[in-house]
Amino acid sequence: MSTIKSARVDRRGALVHSPAGFSDFTAFTTASPAKAEILAVFIGFIVVWTFFYTVTEAPVPVKHDMTEAYAWGQEFQLGYHQHPPFWAWLCGLWFRVFPISPMFFSALSATNAAVGLLGAWYLLSCLVSGPRRVACWALLLLTPLYTFYAYKFDANIIFLSIWPWTLFFFFRSISQPGLSSALGLGVMVGLGLLSKYYVFLPLAGCFGAALVATSGRRWLASCWPWISVAVALLTFAPHLVWLVQNRAPPLHYLGSKLGAPWPDVWHRALRAEGGLCGMMLGVLAIVAGLTLLTPRGARTRVCALSRDQARMVAVLTLTPLVLTGLSALVLKTVVMDEMMIGVVPLAPLLIMQFFPGCPPLLLARVSLCGAIVLNIGAVVVAPAYAYWRVAHQHGWLRQVPVQEIAQEATDLWQRHVPAPLTYVSGSFILDNGAAFYSPAHPHSFVSHDFSQALWVTPQRIREHGLLSICMADDMICLQRAASFATAQTQQLPVTLSHRFLGYTTNPVAFIVVITPPLAH
């Protein structure tokens, strides 16, 4: 790091003169780092976690939600069967630029988390400064939200990057009302709406946070929120038109998830809520521990936030937790574990409010040291963890060899059909998985169902043919593949295993169904 302004902060958080030669690390915890230093930190984060994800996930196929994002992103639709399109668009654009490989999926996940951490850094600047800002940011990094949980790039994980920037423009709109803040907030809300309708729950927290603060109520009474709403609706409008034209498939999908059994509803809701709270226990332990270890006379009694700010932070952090649990119970739907992990970037700051005696400089140093150790440890531990997954996890032996069957089925198509492979379908995870892993990168015809893949039509299947990859015991897949059969259709049995570091998984039997184009 380059040298930062020579200053330090005492145990109470006050700036005092620093002697010459004071370390760059200490300067980073006490002053505002330069943009070049911030950029270096976030590039380093991307490199570290791209490496970690690439190495630790090498023994297994890319997660289903991620191959789904890739398959959808190929099509650039205004909407999809389950969700709005923004996160799939990002994935599609990413792989227009970078090679289609698991390593660059890891890089996409790490970049998404880094963009969110950058947003959190600027968001915190609206509320705190100096060592408190560094401490809150480093504590956020010490949770698994932006590291270990960030790999699964999907409609939930995209909020790691979207929501901190949404809150940044929200706070800036209240503290510095103006056109640029209103436009920024509107665009970010629009992108949230284009990612997942779940965004309405944390958005309710923004409305509640504005109500509990004097400046927020003044903002609500002005024209600026309406400008933000107009921009958000304009951003969301293309998808809204698509919803009307296609009879709102995502809403039908949501309807299919309602009415789940009560044991499943309670179990998943408690697991999601408890899991998120559990992730914050480390932050609580650090802040509370440092407070207890600090002599009473050395403790600061200056609260980091004003009363209005503290109320806003509490409402913004707790509203998604409360409303997510309530919606699960009211709608009898199963809550996914990762739903809330992207919408609580202010949780460490909220925890710090309960411990005003914690010395901010000491907390910043400890938290930043912890973040550095975490990143170094991730690099060091990654190869050992990858080996452990293969050598000692019995579940690894039962995995489906998605990459191998995608390659083998593509080879079979090319040997039997004198036409390029354009459409692929199959059993769950195999359709989108084959779209990603096949060298031909065909379009995914999800579950042989036109309603789930609106970019596919019967005419296109007749013109280009269809490759179906079914598990040998998946009768539903085989029946659906048979519904597209012609006189030239072939069924070829294939049995494959996945190999990694000299270890081999249990063999899996497949049926590859090749239906050539009618012209051939």
Side-chain angles (χ1 to χ4, degrees):
M1 291 185 181
S2 62
T3 303
I4 309 176
K5 192 173 182 179
S6 181
R8 63 183 177 85
V9 176
D10 66 10
R11 297 176 72 90
R12 298 173 185 267
L15 281 172
V16 298
H17 179 71
S18 174
F22 211 65
S23 70
D24 287 338
F25 173 79
T26 301
F28 192 92
T29 63
T30 60
S32 296
K35 289 183 178 180
E37 292 175 312
I38 296 173
L39 180 62
V41 168
F42 288 100
I43 290 176
F45 176 89
I46 292 172
V47 171
V48 166
W49 291 97
T50 296
F51 174 82
F52 179 83
Y53 299 146
T54 299
V55 173
T56 58
E57 296 294 325
V60 297
V62 170
K63 294 182 184 297
H64 167 67
D65 284 3
M66 298 167 71
T67 58
E68 182 178 70
Y70 169 80
W72 291 5
Q74 282 187 302
E75 312 305 329
F76 283 98
Q77 302 287 296
L78 293 177
Y80 298 94
H81 168 64
Q82 297 178 17
H83 301 297
F86 179 65
W87 56 286
W89 290 349
L90 284 181
C91 191
L93 289 171
W94 180 269
F95 285 111
R96 294 290 176 92
V97 176
F98 298 105
I100 303 170
S101 73
M103 183 182 75
F104 283 97
F105 237 138
S106 297
L108 173 59
S109 297
T111 301
N112 179 60
V115 170
L117 285 169
L118 185 62
W121 176 257
Y122 283 99
L123 164 63
L124 289 166
S125 71
C126 300
L127 297 163
V128 288
S129 61
R132 286 189 174 88
R133 180 187 183 188
V134 174
C136 291
W137 182 81
L139 286 170
L140 188 65
L141 184 55
L142 284 176
T143 71
L145 304 181
Y146 288 82
T147 51
F148 301 106
Y149 273 77
Y151 174 67
K152 188 181 178 184
F153 186 82
D154 61 9
N156 295 305
I157 304 303
I158 189 63
F159 283 97
L160 285 175
S161 59
I162 289 177
W163 194 245
W165 287 105
T166 304
L167 291 184
F168 166 72
F169 284 108
F170 170 71
F171 276 105
R172 202 175 79 166
S173 294
I174 292 176
S175 61
Q176 304 175 34
L179 185 59
S180 62
S181 298
L183 292 176
L185 178 59
V187 169
M188 294 312 303
V189 171
L191 294 181
L193 291 169
L194 281 174
S195 297
K196 192 171 183 178
Y197 305 142
Y198 171 79
V199 75
F200 283 110
L201 301 188
L203 279 177
C206 289
F207 180 70
L211 286 177
V212 300
T214 303
S215 57
R217 291 191 292 272
R218 281 198 303 267
W219 175 72
L220 287 174
S222 70
C223 66
W224 301 118
W226 297 104
I227 293 176
S228 297
V229 169
V231 172
L233 290 176
L234 186 62
T235 306
F236 185 65
H239 177 64
L240 187 60
V241 172
W242 178 89
L243 283 174
V244 174
Q245 292 176 340
N246 294 277
R247 299 183 180 180
L251 298 183
H252 291 289
Y253 172 76
L254 175 61
S256 70
K257 298 298 182 180
L258 305 182
W262 277 116
D264 292 345
V265 172
W266 278 104
H267 171 69
R268 293 299 294 273
L270 291 173
R271 192 172 80 172
E273 302 270 350
L276 183 60
C277 293
M279 293 177 204
M280 294 298 162
L281 287 179
V283 175
L284 179 63
I286 292 172
V287 178
L290 291 180
T291 303
L292 294 174
L293 291 173
T294 302
R296 288 185 178 274
R299 294 180 189 177
T300 177
R301 289 172 174 77
V302 179
C303 291
L305 304 176
S306 67
R307 284 189 177 182
D308 277 359
Q309 288 176 327
R311 292 191 192 105
M312 294 176 75
V313 169
V315 171
L316 287 167
T317 302
L318 299 177
T319 296
L321 277 71
V322 174
L323 291 185
T324 300
L326 287 177
S327 64
L329 299 179
V330 171
L331 300 176
K332 285 190 67 179
T333 187
V334 171
V335 175
M336 299 189 68
D337 294 352
E338 65 265 22
M339 272 187 178
M340 294 173 288
I341 69 173
V343 294
V344 289
L346 294 174
L349 182 57
L350 178 62
I351 292 173
M352 284 179 61
Q353 279 301 104
F354 291 98
F355 298 92
C358 186
L361 178 57
L362 180 60
L363 180 60
R365 290 178 177 176
V366 169
S367 302
L368 196 56
C369 281
I372 293 171
V373 170
L374 173 68
N375 280 266
I376 295 174
V379 173
V380 173
V381 170
Y385 178 65
Y387 173 77
W388 177 81
R389 294 188 76 174
V390 175
H392 299 288
Q393 270 194 335
H394 297 296
W396 182 83
L397 297 174
R398 298 191 296 271
Q399 70 169 290
V400 177
V402 179
Q403 183 174 359
E404 288 81 0
I405 188 57
Q407 178 68 61
E408 180 65 19
T410 301
D411 291 344
L412 290 172
W413 174 276
Q414 292 172 346
R415 286 202 296 268
H416 291 86
V417 181
L421 174 58
T422 304
Y423 291 102
V424 64
S425 190
S427 299
F428 179 70
I429 80 169
L430 296 180
D431 38 24
N432 294 327
F436 179 78
Y437 279 112
S438 168
H441 301 297
H443 301 277
S444 177
F445 181 24
V446 183
S447 299
H448 299 91
D449 187 344
F450 293 110
S451 69
Q452 296 190 43
L454 299 179
W455 52 89
V456 185
T457 64
Q459 179 62 28
R460 290 177 181 175
I461 296 297
R462 288 192 292 270
E463 291 176 354
H464 299 282
L466 177 64
L467 173 66
S468 298
I469 307 172
C470 299
M471 306 285 286
D473 58 354
D474 188 349
M475 294 299 106
I476 294 177
C477 178
L478 291 169
Q479 290 170 6
R480 290 176 176 175
S483 68
F484 295 91
T486 66
Q488 288 76 40
T489 296
Q490 303 178 63
Q491 290 193 9
L492 306 172
V494 176
T495 300
L496 294 170
S497 298
H498 176 60
R499 293 178 176 82
F500 187 79
L501 295 180
Y503 290 84
T504 304
T505 63
N506 299 331
V508 179
F510 304 91
I511 301 294
V512 177
V513 183
I514 299 175
T515 299
L518 286 180
H520 297 278

